[in-house]
Amino acid sequence: MRLPKLMYFGATIGILMTAAAEANQANPAESLIDQHKYADATALLDKAIGKDPKNAELLAQRARVYGYLRQWTKCISESDAALRLDQKCVNAYISRAAGNAG
């Protein structure tokens, strides 16, 4: 049985939103970012990066926070650091673009 396109789209969005909610529960920094608590998110990410300095995703996440804070130089620098660790880190590319656009 084929679902109408609108139902399929709605089901896909529902699955993605559920996955995003689960990711936020697993990642406290993401939850803080969603609440616009950027200073708290940065502090939490600083600690996490201190424990795992080669985690490109954490660096990219901190770069995104710097972008929200309009700290463009830090945003670009963190993005570049993440990309040096993992050239496939999509979030680092997105943060880098935001930093360049800022």
Side-chain angles (χ1 to χ4, degrees):
M1 179 171 118
R2 279 187 75 156
L3 293 175
K5 287 183 181 180
L6 187 56
M7 287 180 66
Y8 178 76
F9 180 73
T12 303
I13 295 298
I15 291 168
L16 292 174
M17 289 177 67
T18 301
E22 289 172 2
N24 283 351
Q25 290 176 354
N27 186 346
E30 191 67 38
S31 179
L32 290 170
I33 293 167
D34 289 345
Q35 297 171 39
H36 304 278
K37 296 180 179 179
Y38 302 127
D40 294 338
T42 303
L44 190 61
L45 287 165
D46 288 345
K47 288 180 185 176
I49 292 167
K51 293 178 182 175
D52 188 5
K54 295 192 182 221
N55 187 324
E57 285 297 329
L58 291 174
L59 290 167
Q61 195 170 31
R62 188 165 65 180
R64 184 167 55 120
V65 173
Y66 287 142
Y68 288 140
L69 294 170
R70 299 182 181 269
Q71 295 178 1
W72 308 121
T73 303
K74 287 183 176 182
C75 177
I76 293 168
S77 175
E78 287 292 296
S79 299
D80 288 345
L83 290 170
R84 280 191 296 277
L85 292 172
D86 180 4
Q87 293 180 352
K88 295 180 182 179
C89 183
V90 174
N91 291 327
Y93 284 106
I94 293 169
S95 296
R96 181 81 163 80
N100 284 330

